[in-house]
């Protein structure tokens, strides 16, 4: 190697020289900063751009609204907005707003053949778009400020126009980020400045050399002390500089090439480099901005892929892909192509990169369920690895959950952030709490945002904890969040280090390749058992309490709604497939929204206030959707709730029987000898609407027994152990005891503060009571800690906070006041003010027959950097405490023997945690808290924190916190703690929902859907299967940590049961599970999760179930007795049954056929002794959902109208049938009620009979039905049949009317069959107008075609939009017109409402004519004057073409409008009012008129809004027009 001259240099001087040489360029992080030490030493970086050109014109436009408003403005609209003049130095703000720049450049011919870049800098993120709005490139403040216009400019096009969409936020949110890591809330008033916007000529030769020297410099600095290779790199770089100074750039380049061509040995360590861009789905910015961040980042990656064929990019989170698909379809199409090529690689398989600790087990599974579904659907592939580089700890159940969804690889790295202990592996086998094992890799560079520097590459080798065991590792490079992912510079550098002596091999590769290499060496790997605990960020178990509360409650709500829908599905309560699928889709949507908020900066509470607001809003939407679904399916299952509903019913989603005192604000009837207690709590604290939650202060408590997974009637049960309160006074200290035979609570007051002591009444003979807490302590007392973390405010609780524990200093205490004293519930309250005017009221509650002591805390939290905890010094000796996690539990030490134990000073747990010694212990239960600290025997539950960044108002509001203690004998398993924790979460609140069901309907509790006979087995998900029709998916787990055999009993008959995975794919190895149809046997290992698919084709089941329901109803209606023999051939699938009833018994019969499975659109045929009298109609009971059947019987046969003349067309079409029918009607032997018949005849009302419906082969009058469409129509029908009152306007009875004349049987039923539209077209006028209309329609289509072409040809969007509005308007008028024609000539009375509509229609038509005429004249006038741009009517075009456009675009539609108008006018004058008889048609007419009105309104709006659009309504090339405009 030539190193001429190098020997004269010393190390420090040479390195200094090289550093200066590469400084100040785009390669150094801050290009504008001059390195002072390099003054005078030539910097080669300044030669990167040889020539710059300013813009010729710059304009700006501010998008109205702030954060997220960009979604409301289509890009095409923005392009035609009125932009105002702008210049460099202009400010853009405030934070979260969006501004658009329109910039013109004039490129001279001299640039031909040169590489031309656009350079932009505003300190904010921005998107570059072309004149049509398509995304071209992206800018991020620190890392991407250039866009390559062309690598070799053709020199053809001289004028270029670009649009730049400036998003007023930086990489880390809005405004300036505070200097330390303690990220402050966004500075919302901050403004960004346009610093640079120019065209520059790029010197690619210089760029190559700079990258060469840069990499050499990296090697020189990093290898100098250890390796000769470092010196070689240094001397090579130095020599290159010498050559470059002499202008021998080619030679310099060759020198570098030769150096980088010197290869490594065979066994050198290999790094698999993967491009990555970790985009937090919301964090210091909102979800809305994330969408644009993804678009900018991913588009940049697609651009790089064109130039770097080796480049591979990994990308996680289905949600983000979904957003791009929705908002940037062009980019998504390109991504799809690259996914196909295996270069853009979806990874992770989850919906979002979720938090690793807080979501429930089911949520974890659904993250994969929905994530993999998306990847499969869009890309035809599933991710093979779990990818979660950035979360704050990893649950010990993750390995099994991964296995359950078919994944056995996991990539993460966050444990490198641990503060105390360095995790001993980068590659290992991770074994979860159940023994499942997955292969784990932590990229040994300890980062997922590396930048291709030599330093990081070497760190990825030296830092590896598995040297000698594994010879490869991942190298994830690319700027995250707004940084835009990998850059050209990174890819350039990686090309140089692919295989160069002195460094490891750095190959571009896929996760698949990495894990395959690791798997081949996995025999060498160590095993890690249990959770991966991050020794940092443990304040995130508590921050943003409300988000956590919502998450817990909605996870449970979803479980409940899915179960209700599964019951409805399997019992087939007349679900309409399409509607049901829609509702299932809504459930999916609810899940996805919940999963979104489980993102690893949202649910942990480490987000800004705006994100919190978004999260709450999303939760409220989910809540309301689920409430809607719950109501729908409860109604379906419980036969609807009629007005006189008086049977209280409760739903239990848990798979075991629950007997508990529940509290509800619903009225519960008190039966004899049973107890219902009314409780009134403090009315100040409750009843406030806090974030959608309203807790009643007055409610009833009742002890009920609830069947598993089903509905039960609320029948008050007498408690075997009522709760009592006994007051005593002892030496001026007020004292009282609260006891329920299981617990004995003694409350003493000390300085106004209640001090509690709790005893467990022992079941053992030799003891009476066992004290639960240590003597002379204050169990349940609140403590406040100083909470000032070193680094990240919302994230961290540092261990030293424990040393600042202070008992709450209460002011203005009130209480304890006893509010309820049994027998079902007793409660006392205590309230006080503390700190900076925070205040709380605590209710201590004990229920009858319950081993639980509850606390309900309402707290208004106003502190700053304080941590609030409640403490319980338990009287047990336990070295470990047990915490519930996802689908299981694990133990953590209560001591601090080792640094690993010590680091776990704040840990997470779900619904419960337990501390026990061999014979007894205490379980603590919460409804939404996750943070725990247990040291020795003292348990602290973390309640609230008050960090001030990044959300300055984090948790500063009212909180409702519910927690409980459950002292027990024996183990927590034997004490039933786990199930109690579920019960507490589902039935603990005082607003438990109770449904009221009609007495007649509620005959028995619904079948228990699914139960097990083993207490350890818990069924947490019972849902309709995703892929398989007529199947349910049921998921269960073993909760005790032991082996379990259980029989699972089903409330429905399964034809086939097969085991499946978490994605609901049947397991290959599984054969069908043995089942007797109603139960099956399972075996579960400790903590094992199993899912099963249950198919239930069983028509027979459904029929049998319905039949039995039908019989029950019938039995009631007929006053008891078995009617089963009267129901024949009950076959619902064929929509048919025969019913035999005695007319003297059956007085009134009312069946919801929906409930028993009739489709809404079928016919019901009754052939036996039933008859119907419309007079005794129970019209009131008819519901509006058109789903019910009314069968009424009475003693007398009703009058039945005779069939009347048909429309002329019908007669003409079916003369024979008509004849036959008429004869048949005449010949019928009607023996009664002729009076009514004649009355009807007098009233001149006519029935239109449709022959095809009337005549049923030869038995055309065997049966009778009247098809009704809604209640008002039904009223009309009855009015027809009852003499003396009629109002026939709205009713159509012209078809589907069938009577059994001989047997006097008629059946009325409401269905959804669409009204038959009878054509009685006979009069000449109508035909004439039809012809006229057809001609107009042709013109209309011609006009539309012309506009479609124009829309494509021009960019004059405003004009085109106006025209489109007219098009729609005209189209609707045309339809209106068509509807006029299609009615029979047998008209009925003039109808005033309809008249009103018609007049409105004429009015609208008249305006249309006027507007069109004006527009046409204007257009023609302007066309001749060439002034069109001035009024924004379009582009500059030649006159001939304009006239053509005007005629096609205006004249023909005008003609149509005129025709419509004339036609309408004629009809009005003839005095004809069409007898529509069709309510539906009316609705359509009304809708059309609304559309018309909207179109006119929209047009007006567009014209007003764009009145100045002359400035803009020219395409980018028509500069001449602009000049003309400027003159004007
Ligand atoms: Zn992150």
């Amino acid at each position: 190697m030539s190193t001429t001259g190098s020997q004269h240099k010393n190390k420090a001087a040479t390195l200094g020289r090289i550093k200066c040489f590469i400084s100040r360029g785009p390669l150094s992080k801050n290009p504008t900063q001059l390195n002072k030490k390099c003054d005078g030493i030539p910097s080669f970086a300044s030669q990167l751009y040889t020539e710059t050109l300013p813009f010729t014109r710059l304009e700006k436009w501010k998008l109205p609204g702030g954060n997220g408003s960009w979604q409301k403005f289509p890009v095409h609209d923005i392009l035609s907005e009125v932009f105002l003049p702008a210049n460099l130095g202009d400010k853009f703000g405030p934070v979260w707003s969006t501004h658009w720049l329109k910039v013109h450049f004039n490129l001279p011919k001299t640039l031909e053949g040169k590489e031309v870049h656009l350079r932009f800098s505003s300190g904010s993120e921005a998107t570059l778009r072309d004149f049509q709005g398509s995304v071209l490139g992206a800018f991020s403040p620190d890392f991407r400020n250039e866009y390559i216009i062309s690598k070799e400019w053709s020199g053809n096009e001289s004028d270029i126009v670009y649009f730049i969409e400036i998003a007023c936020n930086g990489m880390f949110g809005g405004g300036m980020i505070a200097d330390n890591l303690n990220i402050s809330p966004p500075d919302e008033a901050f403004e960004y400045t346009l610093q640079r916007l120019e065209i520059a000529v790029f010197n690619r030769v210089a760029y190559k050399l700079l990258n060469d020297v840069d990499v050499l410099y990296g090697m020189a600095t990093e290898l100098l002390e250890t390796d000769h290779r470092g010196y070689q790199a240094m001397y090579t770089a130095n020599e290159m500089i010498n050559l470059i100074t002499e202008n021998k750039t080619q030679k310099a380049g060759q020198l570098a090439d030769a150096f980088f061509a010197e290869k490594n040995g065979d066994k050198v360590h290999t790094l698999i480099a993967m491009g990555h861009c970790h985009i937090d789905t919301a964090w210091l910015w909102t979800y809305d901005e994330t969408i644009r961040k993804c678009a900018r980042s991913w588009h940049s990656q697609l651009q790089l892929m064109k130039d770097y064929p080796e480049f591979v990019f990994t990308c996680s989170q289905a949600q983000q892909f979904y957003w791009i698909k929705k908002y940037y379809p062009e980019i998504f199409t390109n991504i799809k192509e690259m996914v196909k090529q295996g270069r853009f690689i979806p990874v992770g398989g989850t919906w979002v990169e979720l938090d690793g600790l807080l979501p429930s087990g089911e949520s974890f599974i659904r993250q994969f369920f929905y994530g993999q579904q998306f990847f499969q659907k869009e890309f035809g592939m599933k991710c093979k690895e779990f990818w979660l580089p950035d979360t704050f700890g990893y649950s010990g159940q993750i390995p099994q959950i991964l296995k359950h969804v078919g994944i056995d690889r996991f990539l993460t790295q966050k444990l490198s952030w641990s503060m105390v202990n360095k995790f001993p592996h980068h590659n290992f086998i991770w074994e979860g709490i159940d023994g499942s094992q997955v292969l784990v890799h932590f990229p040994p560079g300890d980062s997922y945002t590396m930048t291709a520097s030599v330093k990081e590459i070497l760190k990825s080798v030296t830092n590896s904890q598995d040297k000698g065991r594994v010879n490869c590792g991942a190298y994830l490079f690319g700027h995250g969040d707004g940084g835009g992912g990998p850059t050209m510079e990174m890819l350039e550098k990686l090309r140089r280090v692919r295989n160069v002596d002195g460094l490891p091999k750095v190959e571009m590769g896929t996760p698949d390749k990495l894990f395959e290499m690791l798997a081949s060496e996995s025999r060498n790997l160590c095993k890690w058992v249990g959770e991966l605990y991050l020794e940092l960020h443990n304040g995130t178990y508590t921050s943003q309490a409300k988000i956590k509360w919502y998450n817990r409650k909605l996870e449970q709500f979803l479980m409940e709604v899915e179960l209700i829908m599964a019951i409805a599905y399997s019992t087939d309560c007349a679900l309409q497939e399409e509607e049901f699928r829609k509702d299932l889709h809504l459930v999916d949507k609810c899940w996805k929204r919940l999963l979104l908020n489980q993102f690893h900066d949202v649910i942990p509470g480490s987000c800004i206030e705006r994100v919190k607001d978004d999260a709450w809003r999303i939760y409220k939407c989910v809540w309301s959707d689920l409430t809607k679904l719950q109501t729908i399916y409860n109604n379906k299952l419980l036969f609807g709730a009629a007005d006189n509903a008086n049977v209280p019913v409760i739903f239990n989603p848990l798979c075991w029987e629950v007997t508990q005192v529940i509290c509800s604000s619903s009225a519960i009837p008190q039966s004899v000898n049973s107890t219902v207690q009314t409780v009134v709590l403090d009315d100040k604290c409750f009843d406030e609407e806090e974030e959608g939650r309203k807790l009643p202060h007055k409610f009833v408590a009742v002890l009920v027994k609830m069947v598993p997974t089903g509905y039960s009637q609320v029948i008050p049960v007498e408690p075997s152990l009522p709760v009592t309160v006994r007051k005593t006074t002892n030496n001026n200290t007020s004292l009282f005891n609260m006891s329920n035979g299981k617990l004995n609570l003694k409350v003493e007051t000390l300085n106004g503060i209640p001090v509690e002591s709790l005893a467990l009444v022992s079941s053992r003979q030799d003891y009476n009571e066992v004290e639960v807490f240590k003597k002379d302590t204050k169990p349940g007392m609140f403590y406040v800690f100083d909470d000032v973390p070193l680094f990240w405010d919302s994230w961290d609780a540092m261990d030293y906070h424990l040393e600042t524990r202070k008992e709450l200093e209460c002011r203005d205490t009130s209480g304890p006041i006893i509010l309820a004293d049994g027998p079902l519930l007793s409660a006392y309250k205590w309230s006080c003010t503390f700190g900076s005017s925070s205040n709380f009221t605590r209710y201590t509650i004990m229920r009858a027959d319950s081993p639980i002591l509850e606390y309900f805390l309402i707290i208004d939290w106003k502190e700053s950097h304080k941590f609030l905890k409640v403490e319980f010094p338990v009287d047990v000796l336990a070295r470990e405490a047990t915490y519930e996690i996802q689908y299981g539990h694990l133990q953590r030490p209560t001591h601090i023997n080792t640094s690993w134990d010590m680091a776990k000073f704040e840990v997470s747990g779900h619904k419960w945690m337990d501390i026990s010694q061999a014979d007894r212990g205490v379980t603590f239960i919460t409804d939404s808290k996750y943070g725990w600290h247990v040291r020795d025997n003292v348990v602290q539950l973390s309640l609230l924190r008050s960090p001030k960044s990044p959300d300055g108002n984090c948790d500063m509001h009212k909180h409702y916190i519910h927690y409980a203690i459950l002292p027990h004998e024996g183990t927590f398993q034997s004490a039933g703690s786990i199930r109690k924790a579920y019960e507490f979460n589902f039935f603990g609140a005082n607003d438990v929902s109770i449904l009221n069901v009609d007495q007649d309907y509620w005959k028995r509790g619904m079948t228990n859907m699914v139960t097990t006979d083993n207490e350890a087995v818990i069924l947490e998900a019972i849902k309709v299967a995703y892929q398989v029709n007529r199947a349910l998916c049921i998921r269960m787990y073993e909760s005790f940590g032991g082996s379990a055999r259980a029989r699972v009993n089903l409330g429905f008959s399964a034809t086939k049961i097969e085991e499946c995975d978490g994605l609901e794919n049947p397991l290959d190895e599984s054969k069908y599970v043995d089942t007797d149809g109603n139960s099956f046997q399972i075996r579960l290992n400790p903590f094992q999760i199993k899912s099963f698919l249950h198919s239930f084709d069983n028509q027979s089941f459904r029929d049998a179930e319905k039949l039995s329901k039908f019989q029950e109803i019938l039995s009631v209606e007929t006053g008891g007795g078995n009617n089963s023999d009267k129901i024949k051939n009950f076959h619902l699938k064929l929509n048919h049954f025969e019913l035999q009833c005695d007319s003297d018994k059956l007085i009134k019969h009312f069946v919801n056929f929906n409930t028993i499975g009739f489709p809404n659109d079928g016919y019901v045929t009754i052939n036996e002794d039933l008859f119907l009298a419309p007079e005794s109609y129970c019209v009131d009971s008819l519901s509006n959902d058109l789903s019910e059947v009314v069968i009424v019987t009475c003693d007398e046969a009703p009058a039945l109208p005779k069939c009347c003349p048909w429309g002329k067309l019908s007669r003409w079409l079916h003369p024979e049938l008509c004849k036959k029918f008429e004869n048949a009607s005449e010949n019928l032997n009607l023996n009664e009620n002729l009076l009514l018949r004649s009355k009807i005849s007098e009233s001149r009302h006519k029935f239109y009979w449709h022959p095809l419906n009337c005549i049923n082969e030869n038995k055309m009058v065997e049966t009778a039905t009247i098809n009704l469409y809604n209640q008002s129509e039904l009223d009309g029908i009855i009015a027809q049949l009852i003499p003396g009152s009629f109002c026939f306007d709205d009713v159509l009875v012209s078809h589907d009317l069938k009577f059994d004349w001989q047997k006097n049987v008629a059946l009325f039923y409401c269905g959804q069959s669409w009204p038959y539209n009878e054509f009685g077209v006979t009069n000449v006028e109508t035909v004439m107008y039809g012809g006229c209309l057809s001609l107009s329609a042709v013109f209309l289509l011609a006009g539309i075609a012309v506009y479609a072409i124009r829309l494509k040809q021009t960019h004059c969007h405003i004009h085109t939009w106006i025209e489109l509005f007219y098009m729609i308007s005209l189209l609707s008028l045309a339809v209106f017109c068509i509807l006029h024609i299609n009615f029979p000539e047998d008209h009925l009375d003039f109808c005033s409402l309809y008249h009103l509509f018609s007049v409105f229609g004429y009015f609208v038509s008249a305006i249309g004519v006027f507007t069109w005429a004006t527009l046409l004249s204007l257009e023609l006038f302007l066309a001749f004057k060439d002034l069109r741009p001035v009024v924004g009517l379009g582009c500059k075009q030649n006159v001939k073409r304009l006239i053509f456009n005007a005629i096609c675009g205006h004249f023909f539609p005008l003609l149509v409008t005129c025709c419509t108008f004339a036609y309408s006018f004629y009809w009005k004058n003839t005095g004809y009012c069409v007898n529509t008889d069709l309510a539906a048609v009316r609705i359509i007419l009304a809708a059309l008129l609304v559309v018309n009105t909207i179109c006119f309104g929209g047009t007006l709006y567009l014209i007003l809004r764009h009145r100045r659009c002359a400035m803009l309504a020219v395409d980018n090339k028509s500069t001449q027009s602009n000049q003309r405009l400027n003159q004007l």
Side-chain angles (χ1 to χ4, degrees), residues 1013 1045-1049 1057 1073-1076 1079-1083 1090 1092:
D1013 62 356
R1045 287 171 74 112
R1047 177 156 286 279
V1048 179
N1049 300 307
I1057 299 176
V1073 178
D1074 277 344
T1075 170
D1076 58 10
S1079 73
F1080 65 104
Q1081 190 108 32
I1082 49 158
R1083 290 179 78 116
K1090 278 196 173 187
F1092 295 92

Side-chain angles (χ1 to χ4, degrees), residues 278 280 353 390 448 599-601:
H278 177 83
D280 290 300
E353 283 191 16
D390 183 22
Y448 46 88
F599 178 74
H600 66 249
D601 280 311

Side-chain angles (χ1 to χ4, degrees), residues 93 348 372 435 502 554 596 683 727 849 852 875 1051 1066 1151 1159 1208 1441:
Q372 295 284 44
L554 288 174
L596 172 63
D683 52 359
K727 287 186 204 177
D849 279 355
I852 289 178
D875 190 17
V1151 184
K1208 287 178 187 172
R1441 190 160 156 203

Side-chain angles (χ1 to χ4, degrees), residues 308-379:
Y308 296 87
E310 75 276 19
F311 177 38
V312 168
F313 181 71
T314 53
C315 193
S316 65
Q317 316 198 53
Q319 170 74 77
Q320 294 184 358
F321 282 95
Y322 171 82
W323 278 331
I324 294 300
K325 186 183 172 201
K326 182 170 174 193
Y327 293 102
Y328 296 88
E330 278 176 51
I331 297 180
F332 191 72
T333 309
N334 295 335
I335 288 175
K336 267 184 135 164
E337 180 53 36
M338 282 300 157
V339 171
K340 214 185 277 172
Q341 292 181 23
R343 298 179 57 199
F344 201 110
I345 304 176
V347 291
T350 49
W351 189 250
V352 295
E353 283 191 16
L354 70 166
D355 180 85
L357 293 171
L358 304 179
S360 70
E362 192 56 30
S363 285
F364 257 86
I365 288 179
R366 298 305 173 97
Q367 285 280 356
F368 289 98
F369 179 72
Y370 289 108
Q372 295 284 44
Q373 238 174 60
F374 181 88
F375 293 127
Q376 182 69 47
K377 182 167 165 246
E378 297 297 335
F379 306 124

Side-chain angles (χ1 to χ4, degrees), residues 1187-1201:
S1187 62
E1188 290 173 341
V1189 176
V1190 183
I1191 305 168
V1192 185
T1193 62
C1194 68
D1195 294 328
E1196 283 183 273
L1200 296 167

